[in-house]
Each structure stands twice: as structure tokens, then as C-alpha cells.
Amino acid sequence: MNVHEYQAKELLREFGVPVPDGVLATTAGEAERAARELKSAVCVVKAQVHAGGRGKAGGVKIAKGPAETKQAASEILGMTLRSAQTGPEGKVVRKVYIEAGSDIAHEYYLGFVIDRASESFAIIASTEGGMEIEEVAAKTPEKIITVYIDANVGLQAYQVRHIGFGLGLDGAQVGQLETFLRGLFRLFQEKDASLVEINPLVVTSSGDLIALDAKLNFDDNALFRHPEIAKLRDPDEEDPRERAAAEIDLAYVGLDGNIGCMVNGAGLAMATLDMIQVCGGSPANFLDAGGGADKEKVQEAFKLILRDENVKGILVNIFGGIVLCDLIAEGVVAAARELGIGVPLVVRLQGTNAAEGRKILAESGLDITPAETLREAGERAVAAVRGAEG
Amino acid sequence: MSILCDKNTKLLIQGMGRMGRLHAGFSKDYGTQVVGGIAPGKGGQEIDGIPVYDTVAEAVKDTGANASVIFVPPPGAADAILEAADAGLDVTACITEGIPAIDMMRAKAALRGSSMRLVGPNCPGVVTPEQCRIGIMPAKITKPGPVGVVSRSGTLTYEAVDQLSRLGIGQSTCVGIGGDPVIGTTFVDALALFEADPETKAVVMIGEIGGSAEETAAEFVQSNMSKPVVSFIAGQNAPPGKRMGHAGAIIAGGQGKASDKMAALEKAGVAVSVSPAEIGETLANHVPELRP
């Protein structure tokens, strides 16, 4: 789960990591008042959307004094921000964060992640602050310092020194870095973060370390023990279909094709998209109905798929392990009757109780195209959509 | 022969809830020796004819169990894994989906130096055809034979196994290693076991987007495997930055793409099927002597 920069910075403050003073505003008037409160000669007005690349997209402006802050906020609020990370449709800015300007001497990059390969925490630091770390890794890997932290041993002082002196900080600053990193590490563990990115980490002209930007992601699987983090979710920032899917415990990702897909299991769901593509078609979505798929869930999944107006046909691909194919078939029949699907429907049932399931479909009297193998399912779905278009 | 489990495996069920009981029954029906269930507070009872114990240690002492399958919900699953290891089991498969990554990382670190092999979490388990079923796979589609199957996905494992069985090609053991970022048995671990197993003549490896486990496996195949390997990578058309169902299936910062994984595997001499419908055929073409 992602949170906004202003929320991330509140959490950093709570864990003793220095951040600039800032105030959230949802109107230009509030922004003006915020600038007064901050008593800073220079304010930075920052669009609050869940996407990077805000600066280049015009979502970050420097303002001198309350009047300029008001003006900048009025320009940013309501704009549709388009960056490499928002996609072409962009994101509407509903909130701005007004922050006291910092006097920057140096910029660094600092990232905290769970490293899958070493199965440990990793801190990634670089002298190339403000740049995308992937770009630095590709072009100048020698400028990246990585340390791995054993999950059961924790961050060691020598690791902090390795990073600090490696970045070229002086002794006093390495001391500050220790507080900084210990705060981040504690935040990471206590709140079950999956990513903390401080880009840039800044050394001010007075020599102090401060987190100028902050990005925090949290482990969705751990939200059950962090209601205070789950509360930070901003529904405006999520794809409405993905949100609706999450509410009924389905995994859904919208795509731009026209064949709606309902599959059990993430791997098979991805393979089904691949199958459609191999057959010359284009999938409209990824949908994993999960191990607990039953009649009700199937109906909900159909509703979700049909919310996408591009859908010209639906492919249901179920390989029953835990999932019982006869229950799925009942769901398909009920959905077809009650929702009036209106587009061609191809259903492939395999595995547990597949024969019973196929019988239910065949006896329903509904216009459902059955398929035996994965290939048949893909080919028939693609043909059905072509037929519907022609 | 086989890997991880066989007809001598004595299995415990950790977590005797609805799922645990259902699949304990399926495993028993398949001929697996299900010797006990763990349900703290219900020790001494019997559930569906299976003796129940409060702790894994007690169950091991009483039954001589050497394996377990974990159905414990996410908050307690990492604890269940460590309990299994502490009780001295050889193998445990954790089916539970949705364990916090930090819990798994700590558990995995604590397992260093333990002789127990963890399969999963978030996996379908292990089946050695006609001998032993640990987990939730539909064992009916399997068939004894010479091909080892290892996969990050559940239902896609079934798809691959089904394609093999339909071609008349049986399996030595089918292992689902799970789709989470931090897992016990990795591709490399499973490949090494299959390489050492005299009955396994070839391996099917099903990967997916995210992480670099397939690339690491490709290196291992190139330098350590004498047996032919066939592969399929799911998610060739997945958009970047989106989590595709599995917590580990995400293309992040241009890393973890299917095309890179396929290229790495092909370079290592692995026969890669582009179509998910031709996993079985690819194996049959690549290793024609296995075609009946």
C-alpha cells in the first residue's frame, strides 16, 4: 500500500527522522495560511499524488511568501498531473503539501527495501540524489553503496559508518546518519514497510541531514496488525476497479484489451493472459478469483469484469484444486441469468469436479462455449470476440 | 525414488480448521499416512479419525511424524513453521497465503542451520504420485513417471502436470514452491534435489514475473545440471508496477520481466515454451525418449 508524502513525513517525524516543517492544504486559501504559519522565506508547494516525477510534471513549485504560495497552490490544485509513473491518463491533484524551503548543499539517495535475493533488509545509498536509482544502477553502479541487514541481528554501527563515509559525509554527519537510519529501520520493522525511499536526502548548508522527499510503501499482508497504517489509504489514488476487487477479496488488474478474464490462481491467470496474446487476442484484465472462489464470488467477479466497457467477450479458466468446478459452474450460470452478460462467454473447467461442472453448463440452456484445454480456451475466446466485432 | 516425500512419509496437519481438515481427508484418501493434527487446546481429541495434539513436539514423540503441512492463518504461520523446525521434522509445506514479509524473513533467518526443508509459503505443496500428497494439489491429475515439476504458481502447476499426464508422461515429484518474495525451498534447491534423484530424467520449471529466482536458476542449470530442463514463464504481458495476484509477482524498476527470464533460461540451454498450452509438448519435443 502506498501513502502520500505528507503522511510518510508524519511517520518519519514520529520515528525521529528529521524532515522539513510542512502543512497540508486542500485549497489555495489554506495554502496561504500554511505559508504564514511556517514563517519561512521560501515555501515549496508539492502536489500530493501517489506518483513520482512530480517536479518535471509541474507538480512542485517554489514560492516566496504567502501570496506566491497561494498562487502556486491554485495552479497545482485541480491540475491533472502526468508523469512517467501516472500513465497517460494522469492523476488529479486534490491536496498540496506546503513545506518550509531547505538550503541545500548536497543531495543523496537513500532507500530501504526487503531484498528478495539475500532475504534480508537492504539499505541502498548513493551520492546521486534526486535521480532515479534504477538509472544510477544502470549507468554508474559504482556510485551505489548497498548494505544487507540480517533480520535477526539488525543494523550495526559499522554498517552506518560504511554508508556515511562512503557517501563522503564528515564524522559529525555520520553521527546524524546513525540516528536517521536507526529511525528508518525502526519504522520499517514496527510498521511493516516494504519500501522506504528518501530521495533526496539532503545535507543543508549548515551541515544537517534532512529528508527532503519521502516515499513509503507498506506490506499489504501486514496491514491486519496496523490499523493506523491501513487508515492512511487514499481511495482517490487507486484504480476504482482494483479497489472494488480488493473489497471482495479478488486480485484484479485492469488492462487495455477486450477479453475479460476470470481465472483461479495468480500464475494460471497470468498464463491465461499470455495464452490470449499467443492466440492473437488482447486481454482486458487480470483477475485471480483465489482459492476460495464460490458461486457468490463468481457473480461478483462477472460484475467487475463487465464494468469495463471495452469487454467484448469473457473467458473463464478454472483449474480446480481447492476450488470446486461445480460450484464455479453454478456461479457462472447464475451470473449469466441474473446479470444478462450480453457478450460471448467461453468457459474452461478442469480439475476437481470438472465433469459435474461441465454438465451444469451444458444443461443450463445458456449460450456458453465450453473448452477442454488451455489452448482451446484461448482460441475460442479470441474467435468469439472477433465474431462479435464482425 | 522421488524428492521431499514418498510412501514412508508420516504427515502432520498444523491447523485443523476447515481447510486443514478437508485436505487432511484428501491426503488420507490418496494413501498418505496422515498421523496427526495440531490444534492447540484440543490435544487428546480426535478429529475426522485423526489424533489431535497440542504441540508438534508431542505429536512427533507419539507418532514418529517426519513431515507437516501448515494451514495456520497468516498471523501465526511463521510461528508454526518455527515450531515444525524445532520439533525436528524433515519437511514442512506451508500453504498459508498472506504472511507478512518481515515475519517470513525472520523465520527464514532463524531456519539457517536447521535441517528442516520448508516448502512455501503460499504454495500448493508437494505430491509424489501414488505415494504421498502434502498440501492442496489435485493429486488425481498426476501420474508416476520420470519428470520433476517445480513451480512458483499453484494452479499453473496443475496445468503443466495435466499437460504431461495427457501426453502419457508421468512425474517423479511435483513441487509448488510458492509465489511469495521470501520462500523456503527455491528453484535452485528443487533443481538440485531433482538432479540428485536417480528416477528423475528431466525437469519442468514454471516461473513467473518478479524477482530474479529464474535467472539464478538458469545459472544453476548451466553449471550444475546434467538433466534436461523445460520452462514456461507466466506474465509475459503483465504491466510494470502492478502486483499480479502473488505478492512476489511484480515488475519493479524494469526488473523481473518475463522476457529477461526467458532469455536467461534459453542461454542456459533450457527449452522455453512461449505458449502456456505447450509446456508438455515442449518437454516431449526436447526429451523425445520420454514420449511414450
Side-chain angles (χ1 to χ4, degrees), chain B residues 201-244:
Chain B
K201 304 295 180 210
V203 180
V204 169
M205 180 184 123
I206 310 290
E208 64 187 33
I209 55 162
S212 56
E214 291 78 5
E215 284 87 340
T216 311
E219 282 169 30
F220 181 82
V221 169
Q222 188 147 36
S223 40
N224 298 289
M225 295 262 316
S226 64
K227 297 176 183 177
V229 180
V230 168
S231 183
F232 170 75
I233 305 295
Q236 294 167 43
N237 302 289
K242 295 283 189 183
R243 169 174 146 169
M244 303 298 273

Side-chain angles (χ1 to χ4, degrees), chain A residues 116 119 121 150 152 189 219-221 225 242 264-268 271 274 277 286 322 348 350 372 375, chain B residues 98-101 103 105-106 108 112 136 152-153 155 159 166 183 235-237 242-244 248 276 278:
Chain A
R116 293 164 68 150
E119 294 169 338
F121 297 100
D150 185 286
N152 293 343
Q189 295 186 93
D219 182 356
D220 291 311
N221 286 346
R225 59 190 177 203
E242 289 172 23
N264 68 319
L268 189 61
D274 295 337
Q277 215 99 5
F286 164 96
I322 325 181
R348 180 217 185 196
Q350 276 297 349
E372 167 89 14
R375 163 168 297 282
Chain B
I99 304 178
D103 290 6
M105 209 164 56
R106 291 195 181 119
K108 189 81 193 284
R112 264 179 239 140
I136 59 172
R152 265 169 81 183
S153 149
T155 46
E159 178 65 45
R166 276 166 191 266
I183 53 172
Q236 294 167 43
N237 302 289
K242 295 283 189 183
R243 169 174 146 169
M244 303 298 273
E278 280 164 22

Side-chain angles (χ1 to χ4, degrees), chain B residues 65-148:
Chain B
N66 59 353
S68 79
V69 56
I70 295 173
F71 289 100
V72 175
D79 175 70
I81 291 169
L82 293 177
E83 185 182 359
D86 198 44
L89 298 181
D90 298 329
V91 177
T92 188
C94 182
I95 310 305
T96 312
E97 176 173 6
I99 304 178
I102 289 183
D103 290 6
M104 261 325 292
M105 209 164 56
R106 291 195 181 119
K108 189 81 193 284
L111 285 181
R112 264 179 239 140
S114 155
S115 60
M116 184 185 79
R117 187 171 286 283
L118 167 68
V119 180
N122 190 12
C123 81
V126 186
V127 171
T128 293
E130 292 182 0
Q131 295 193 47
C132 181
R133 173 187 184 273
I134 302 179
I136 59 172
M137 284 197 218
K140 250 196 281 182
I141 60 168
T142 66
K143 178 183 155 69
V147 177

